[in-house]
Amino acid sequence: MIDPAKLRQWLAKYQNPDSTFRDINNAVNHYQGLQPQQDSYTFVDGTTMDLVNLSGTIPVTYKGSTYNIPICIWLIDTHPKNAPICYVKPTPDMAVKVSMFVDQNGKIYLPYLHDWVPSASDLIGLIQVMIVTFGDQPPVFARPKESNSLPYPHDSFLPTPTSYGGPPYPSSTPYPMPGAYNKPGFPFYPPTTNNAFPSFPPYPNSPFQGFPKPGNFGAADVPISSGTIKDEHIRESLLTAIEEKLLRRMKEQYFQNQAELQTLKRTQEELKQGKAKLDAMLSRLEKEQKNVTLLKDKEQELNVAIEKIGTQEAIDVDDAVTTTAPLYKQLLNAFAEEAAHEDAIYYMGEALRCGVVDLDVFLRQVRALSRKQFMLRALMQKCRQKAGLVI
């Protein structure tokens, strides 16, 4: 059972002790195979810190059977702001099965950890994701005893027995430098590569103490034998190697198809943009075509009018303007004559200014022109009165 007082004492140095306590309490109540512990955690620079971890087993269903998978979840002192660090802890008769979710040191990599959201992610959700993931790809398998002295088929996609000879679980793991894990988006998930097994940094080899050994974990992948490797062992190893190889090739084909799909999508977007531009150009061309047709019609009308004018006789300028009544003709003639006298007076003034005529001639001519202009204006006024026009 969990001791609340002791757990709160362990969490005293955490930045968010209350939320971390609630998260641990909910996880332990749902999964009673996990228990909180406090242990010393070693950083990459050699310093240590007392951190709380959840150690124990979680139930995983694989091929119709339920197995207890041993794990350990380390909670950083900034929890739940940053994602925890998780490990698979194989017992001495188990070995880590390397996959895209577990490296050769047992460290767990999940998208849930990589996309950890402090306000939405918690330990229960993390454990549920582990159960689903490990039910599809188990992180450990049972290995035969005295495997170092037995022949073993070698394949580039299958770990050799020598890789299982190390300690079952590293207690010292890489930890972010001070302040690094406080930044959002700290990478807890390795980038995707085309290698069968990703390369990860080594971990110190000090064994982890005080972890309960599962008693009901079945040898689902490799049955345990006492002295020799049987045909079914070799067959299972070959099937595992073929499975890894096929998965790698399928992954490469998948990413290749994804790249081609993205290229086709970009090409489709460019074609759509080109189609929109072509449609706009066609609409403008249709408008221009209408304008050209209208201009051609106007040009044809002008040509017909020019041909008609060319066939007519010359028109006398004096006969170009006609009136409907003699009174209007008298008014028109008076107006034209008055305008001519106005121009004559103007040019007489220019002649005097330029010295062409002397003052006496200028005065005499202007007096005569002004008298005639006065009489013409009086005549125009009488004509407008008779015609009923505005004076």
Side-chain angles (χ1 to χ4, degrees), residues 361-378:
V361 175
F362 171 77
L363 293 175
R364 189 167 53 253
Q365 294 295 330
V366 168
R367 188 181 301 111
L369 292 172
S370 297
R371 187 182 299 109
K372 290 181 180 179
Q373 186 180 25
F374 176 77
M375 297 302 294
L376 291 171
R377 288 182 178 177

Side-chain angles (χ1 to χ4, degrees), residues 274-290:
K275 181 179 180 298
K277 292 181 180 179
L278 289 176
D279 291 340
M281 293 174 63
L282 287 175
S283 63
R284 288 197 301 269
L285 286 176
E286 290 178 357
K287 293 180 181 179
E288 294 295 334
Q289 187 67 28
K290 293 180 180 179

Side-chain angles (χ1 to χ4, degrees), residues 2 4 30 39 42 45 60 118 139 152 164 181 213 258 271 288 303 325 330 336 360 383:
I2 183 174
H30 280 79
D39 203 346
T42 305
D45 58 356
V60 175
Y152 195 85
Y164 306 135
Y181 55 81
K213 298 182 179 180
Q258 285 293 108
L271 290 175
E288 294 295 334
N303 291 332
Q330 186 180 11
D360 294 338
C383 291

Side-chain angles (χ1 to χ4, degrees), residues 50 209 317 319:
D50 292 333
Q209 303 294 334
V317 177
D319 297 335

